[in-house]
Amino acid sequence: MKDKIKIVWLCTVSNPQIRQHLTFEKSTPLSFLKKLQRKSDQTDKAIWNTNGIKEFEQFEDTELHIISFHDGIKHSIQEFQINNIFYHILKDEDDTFIGKVKKKLKYNKSLQYIKNRKIIKETIEKINPDIINLIGAENPHYSTGILDLDKNIPIYLTLQTLMSQPNFKKNYPISDATYNYRTFYEKEVIKRANYLGSRSLINAQFIKKEIYPQIPVLKTGIALGEEIFKEKTTREYDFVYNALDISKAGDHAIEAFALVHKKYPNTTLYLVGGYSQETKRNLDLKIKESDIQNAVIFSGKLQNHTEVINEIRKARFSILPFKVDILPTTLREAMANGLPVVSVETYKTIELNNKRESILLSEIGNIQGLADNMEKLLINDDYANMIKCNAFQTCEEMYNNHKSMRNLVEAYKAAIDHFNNDTPIPEELLLL
């Protein structure tokens, strides 16, 4: 194998460094839709991919090309290089008035993203990579781009989530039409991939049984490492719940907080993240029913990841229930930023307590269990400090971006060798 492998990441990513190199469309008095979405154009997306890219900037044995769609840009493709990484930023066909209407009216199999797929194929043919890493099968506006590619380049699929899991829809706010559409293409994309990267044994087993029995599964995932911040900060709130969309489990956080507030009426809850009007109405109703209007504060949607981190650090503790995830990025971020975390049990969150108690857990949906663990932190400063210190140590041991991305490169090399020469993949790299 040659010394430097050429890799394509087909993914979602946006950060200030990328946006500085982009030319955006200018708003006009008539383009009111563009004015409304301008803030969205400047929002950080998929911070885990930004974290992973930072590590690849240091690697001398890879040439990484990023293919990603970005709202609000002026041209169909904008290409540039930052710190030895090559970026190919594409204009999404949804990013037009007609595209938005079409998506709204045709959220079914007839929405095939023909334009997106065409430009993805053309860009990949121009790059001519050794391997293509699709990060996220659940987003058809770019994941369907692999369906048209020639079969002479190995495709490595990294899972971000798995919408096809039976319990996903039950626990996630999504319409039937959208769910059926996205899971249809998620399965088609999985069947087109040559290799699967996942740290989730449950998801891997489901795919092997229900979707693609022959696919090799390697022990890799998205970038997990978070910066560890140990400096002190001013705490303005007691608990914080944060998510990109607080409809994910904001209701459970509020219900648990309401139980705590009955015993400790001076406590506060800060909800950090975006929400729809319907979500806000439903949460406001819960808040009113529990008579905690003066104790719950909403931040609204924030523009970038730095703002999110700054806001969560204003709280003493983190309350992070969830319904469909296995190990959310928000949980790791809270631990790494000095917030003792109250969350729920999955086989991955339980692992956080293998060496030392680093997080407080109860069963998914157990509101009283969440409240009991919140109370433990409130009433015992020494215990809360122990959890915080243990969480720092666990993060440093388990979530190291450099090791994670180096392992990913080794998985790429093994997949390329297997694809081209039928060389067996080393057992230590295989999950299944």
Side-chain angles (χ1 to χ4, degrees):
M1 186 177 295
K2 57 187 179 182
D3 293 337
K4 181 175 286 193
I5 60 172
K6 189 183 290 187
I7 306 155
V8 160
W9 276 15
L10 180 56
C11 65
T12 294
V13 66
S14 182
N15 57 52
Q17 197 173 29
I18 291 174
R19 294 193 292 271
Q20 286 176 0
H21 287 76
L22 294 174
T23 301
F24 289 90
E25 290 182 342
K26 293 182 180 178
S27 295
T28 68
L30 296 178
S31 60
F32 62 95
L33 289 176
K34 286 295 179 187
K35 286 183 178 180
L36 291 175
Q37 77 171 46
R38 183 60 56 215
K39 285 187 176 181
S40 176
D41 298 344
Q42 302 299 321
T43 300
D44 287 356
K45 296 179 181 178
I47 188 63
W48 50 90
N49 289 331
T50 291
N51 290 344
I53 290 167
K54 287 179 181 177
E55 299 302 326
F56 273 82
E57 291 175 354
Q58 307 169 45
F59 297 164
E60 296 182 355
D61 56 346
T62 64
E63 178 181 308
L64 180 60
H65 292 253
I66 306 298
I67 298 179
S68 182
F69 288 93
H70 203 295
D71 289 341
I73 63 174
K74 188 173 184 180
H75 308 293
S76 61
I77 182 169
Q78 298 185 34
E79 298 175 298
F80 46 89
Q81 185 176 347
I82 307 173
N83 297 335
N84 302 316
I85 307 297
F86 297 86
Y87 291 85
H88 312 263
I89 307 301
L90 313 178
K91 186 175 180 65
D92 197 331
E93 67 181 76
D94 281 344
D95 191 29
T96 64
F97 177 77
I98 294 175
K100 292 180 189 300
V101 172
K102 183 179 178 183
K103 180 177 178 180
K104 192 73 173 177
L105 296 177
K106 294 186 176 182
Y107 226 148
N108 54 49
K109 297 171 192 176
S110 66
L111 180 58
Q112 297 181 29
Y113 290 105
I114 300 300
K115 291 181 180 179
N116 284 3
R117 290 160 67 165
K118 182 175 183 291
I119 195 169
I120 288 171
K121 183 176 181 180
E122 291 173 349
T123 304
I124 287 176
E125 288 177 347
K126 181 174 61 176
I127 297 168
N128 190 27
D130 298 301
I131 192 166
I132 299 161
N133 189 175
L134 169 63
I135 303 176
E138 76 280 7
N139 298 313
H141 74 281
Y142 69 89
S143 66
T144 52
I146 71 168
L147 299 179
D148 306 313
L149 300 180
D150 293 335
K151 295 188 177 181
N152 59 344
I153 301 173
I155 296 175
Y156 193 102
L157 169 60
T158 299
L159 290 182
Q160 293 181 146
T161 188
L162 185 62
M163 295 183 71
S164 298
Q165 277 279 17
N167 291 330
F168 187 96
K169 186 177 182 299
K170 180 177 72 174
N171 294 313
Y172 193 82
I174 189 171
S175 70
D176 289 345
T178 302
Y179 179 77
N180 293 336
Y181 168 76
R182 292 179 67 179
T183 53
F184 172 82
Y185 277 112
E186 180 182 70
K187 292 172 184 175
E188 292 299 299
V189 164
I190 290 171
K191 287 185 281 189
R192 173 60 185 88
N194 303 105
Y195 304 91
L196 176 67
S198 177
R199 294 191 181 96
S200 168
L201 186 61
I202 292 175
N203 285 344
Q205 289 172 334
F206 179 84
I207 287 172
K208 294 276 279 187
K209 181 180 179 181
E210 303 292 339
I211 301 175
Y212 188 174
Q214 293 80 30
I215 192 168
V217 184
L218 288 81
K219 291 183 287 190
T220 65
I222 57 178
L224 295 179
E226 307 295 341
E227 292 184 66
I228 308 299
F229 298 98
K230 292 188 176 179
E231 69 272 15
K232 293 183 179 180
T233 188
T234 302
R235 307 296 185 179
E236 301 175 24
Y237 311 100
D238 292 299
F239 293 94
V240 63
Y241 169 81
N242 69 293
L244 183 63
D245 184 339
I246 62 174
S247 66
K248 288 184 175 181
D251 54 343
H252 285 191
I254 288 171
E255 291 167 15
F257 174 75
L259 296 178
V260 172
H261 191 266
K262 285 182 181 179
K263 296 179 67 174
Y264 307 94
N266 292 325
T267 53
T268 53
L269 172 66
Y270 189 27
L271 295 165
V272 175
Y275 46 80
S276 66
Q277 291 183 352
E278 181 182 3
T279 294
K280 184 64 161 57
R281 283 195 297 269
N282 291 337
L283 295 183
D284 282 342
L285 182 60
K286 286 182 177 293
I287 290 168
K288 185 177 181 180
E289 289 174 349
S290 299
D291 193 23
I292 52 175
Q293 296 94 317
N294 295 328
V296 181
I297 303 93
F298 292 82
S299 76
K301 185 176 182 179
L302 302 177
Q303 291 304 300
N304 58 62
H305 187 250
T306 300
E307 288 184 25
V308 172
I309 295 301
N310 288 339
E311 291 306 300
I312 70 169
R313 285 172 55 78
K314 292 179 180 179
R316 296 169 61 198
F317 315 116
S318 176
I319 167 68
L320 282 173
F322 52 89
K323 303 173 183 179
V324 297
D325 291 313
I326 295 174
L327 187 66
T329 300
T330 51
L331 188 151
R332 299 187 299 268
E333 288 172 347
M335 292 173 63
N337 280 276
L339 280 74
V341 178
V342 172
S343 190
V344 296
E345 294 176 349
T346 68
Y347 77 93
K348 277 296 183 183
T349 57
I350 290 172
E351 286 180 0
L352 297 172
N353 287 334
N354 280 352
K355 289 187 177 181
R356 63 194 69 87
E357 188 177 10
S358 303
I359 184 171
L360 283 71
L361 301 173
S362 56
E363 293 181 354
I364 293 177
N366 184 349
I367 304 301
Q368 186 62 58
L370 290 171
D372 291 343
N373 283 334
M374 293 166 75
E375 183 177 2
K376 289 179 184 178
L377 296 175
L378 278 173
I379 65 175
N380 192 330
D381 289 341
D382 290 339
Y383 178 71
N385 188 62
M386 180 199 74
I387 295 294
K388 179 176 75 172
C389 293
N390 288 351
F392 276 138
Q393 188 173 352
T394 297
C395 283
E396 289 174 327
E397 289 175 0
M398 296 182 65
Y399 304 128
N400 183 302
N401 260 349
H402 184 78
K403 291 179 181 179
S404 177
M405 293 300 100
R406 278 311 315 171
N407 184 62
L408 182 58
V409 172
E410 294 308 308
Y412 290 154
K413 292 178 179 178
I416 293 168
D417 203 14
H418 178 267
F419 186 84
N420 293 322
N421 306 313
D422 205 25
T423 304
I425 298 172
E427 285 292 329
E428 62 269 20
L429 291 176
L430 290 172
L431 180 66
L432 284 176

